[in-house]
Amino acid sequence: MFRKLIHTDNSKTTLLIRLMVGAVFLSEGIQKFLFPDLLGAGRFAKIGLPSPEFLGSFVGSFEIVCGALVLLGLLTRFASFPLIIIILVAIATTKTEVLADKGFWEMLHVCRTDWAMFLGSIFLLIKGGGSLSVDKKIMNGGK
């Protein structure tokens, strides 16, 4: 089971996707704690989510931990799954209103980063961390 979780191919270019997804989520998680009124609990309260204080810290913590794991390529598949859920909830809670009020093209415009993070996370869930990852080193017995 653990070997399936860390299995990956020999692709070196997967590092670019890991850097994109991991850095964005790590940064967003840190900013939820640095600027809670704007990006953390305050934002969650503004969009009407329940228990915004708890959710702001909960989501921010997951973004920091999973973003760091993705950057390292450690348990990449495992870390990608919560990030997919986070981005789907973000799209559902913030972009459907844009779709209803301003239309399809405006929704696509404001959703472009979410879309890139969603597809990048799906890619990592399917492919794993690639050859330049901790997962690959574990698979190869530390070599």
Side-chain angles (χ1 to χ4, degrees), residues 86-115:
I86 288 170
I87 206 69
L88 286 174
V89 171
I91 290 171
T93 57
T94 62
K95 305 312 185 282
T96 52
E97 185 177 317
V98 175
L99 177 64
D101 293 345
K102 298 183 179 178
F104 179 73
W105 293 111
E106 181 64 20
M107 189 271 303
L108 284 181
H109 175 71
V110 297
C111 191
R112 63 192 182 279
T113 303
D114 297 338
W115 183 244

Side-chain angles (χ1 to χ4, degrees), residues 103-137:
F104 179 73
W105 293 111
E106 181 64 20
M107 189 271 303
L108 284 181
H109 175 71
V110 297
C111 191
R112 63 192 182 279
T113 303
D114 297 338
W115 183 244
M117 292 300 102
F118 175 71
L119 292 180
S121 297
I122 294 283
F123 177 88
L124 293 173
L125 182 67
I126 294 168
K127 297 279 285 183
S131 67
L132 302 172
S133 67
V134 176
D135 288 343
K136 188 67 171 183
K137 287 200 180 292

Side-chain angles (χ1 to χ4, degrees), residues 7-9 27 40 47 49 56-58 61 65 69 75 77 88 90 100 105 110 112 118 129-130 139 143:
H7 181 75
T8 187
D9 60 14
S27 169
I47 60 178
L49 293 177
S57 299
F58 183 77
S61 297
V65 171
L69 288 172
L75 304 172
R77 287 192 162 104
L88 286 174
W105 293 111
V110 297
R112 63 192 182 279
F118 175 71
M139 277 180 54
K143 297 176 187 172

Side-chain angles (χ1 to χ4, degrees), residues 8-107:
T8 187
D9 60 14
N10 287 321
S11 174
K12 292 179 181 170
T13 55
T14 302
L15 175 64
L16 296 174
I17 304 297
R18 284 192 6 242
L19 289 174
M20 177 185 75
V21 170
V24 167
F25 276 109
L26 178 62
S27 169
E28 289 298 314
I30 291 170
Q31 290 182 69
K32 280 181 178 56
F33 290 99
L34 291 176
F35 313 107
D37 291 339
L38 185 63
L39 301 172
R43 173 142 173 81
F44 286 27
K46 182 180 172 187
I47 60 178
L49 293 177
S51 306
E53 292 292 332
F54 170 75
L55 278 179
S57 299
F58 183 77
V59 171
S61 297
F62 261 93
E63 288 177 333
I64 290 169
V65 171
C66 293
L69 288 172
V70 166
L71 281 174
L72 294 171
L74 175 60
L75 304 172
T76 307
R77 287 192 162 104
F78 179 76
S80 297
F81 190 71
L83 297 177
I84 291 167
I85 293 171
I86 288 170
I87 206 69
L88 286 174
V89 171
I91 290 171
T93 57
T94 62
K95 305 312 185 282
T96 52
E97 185 177 317
V98 175
L99 177 64
D101 293 345
K102 298 183 179 178
F104 179 73
W105 293 111
E106 181 64 20
M107 189 271 303

